Amino acid sequence: MKTIGAQALMTLISHFVFIFVAFWSIQKLHIENVMRLYPSQARVLIVLLSVTVGFTCSEFFLNFIDNVRNLIFLVK
């Protein structure tokens, strides 16, 4: 049961870190300058894009790590 809890904690931390990095990098695109008439929608778009990109990247790396760990069963 402890391993399931540790894996859940690692997953949550990974998701939040990747979402933060995506948010930090997408802000540098200055989407609100492109959408001058809708600044509040531009901020929501930045948040939604950050969650989408961050979650997708996090899932990719977590699946990659899981698959590398499972390669040991190919040898056994």
Side-chain angles (χ1 to χ4, degrees), residues 45-68:
L45 179 64
I46 290 171
V47 170
L48 291 176
L49 281 174
S50 300
V51 170
T52 303
V53 171
F55 179 79
T56 305
C57 290
S58 178
E59 280 294 315
F60 169 76
F61 281 107
L62 288 172
N63 284 333
F64 182 78
I65 291 169
D66 193 36
N67 287 331
V68 168

Side-chain angles (χ1 to χ4, degrees), residues 1-72:
M1 284 304 211
K2 280 190 172 185
T3 57
I4 294 173
Q7 186 175 2
L9 182 63
M10 185 178 80
T11 300
L12 284 173
I13 290 171
S14 174
H15 287 337
F16 282 122
V17 166
F18 275 97
I19 289 171
F20 173 76
V21 169
F23 181 75
W24 175 71
S25 62
I26 289 174
Q27 276 185 326
K28 302 301 179 192
L29 295 176
H30 299 291
I31 294 174
E32 49 289 329
N33 290 342
V34 176
M35 298 177 65
R36 287 186 189 116
L37 298 176
Y38 309 104
S40 60
Q41 279 107 349
R43 284 185 228 121
V44 171
L45 179 64
I46 290 171
V47 170
L48 291 176
L49 281 174
S50 300
V51 170
T52 303
V53 171
F55 179 79
T56 305
C57 290
S58 178
E59 280 294 315
F60 169 76
F61 281 107
L62 288 172
N63 284 333
F64 182 78
I65 291 169
D66 193 36
N67 287 331
V68 168
R69 277 191 322 187
N70 289 336
L71 279 177
I72 208 164

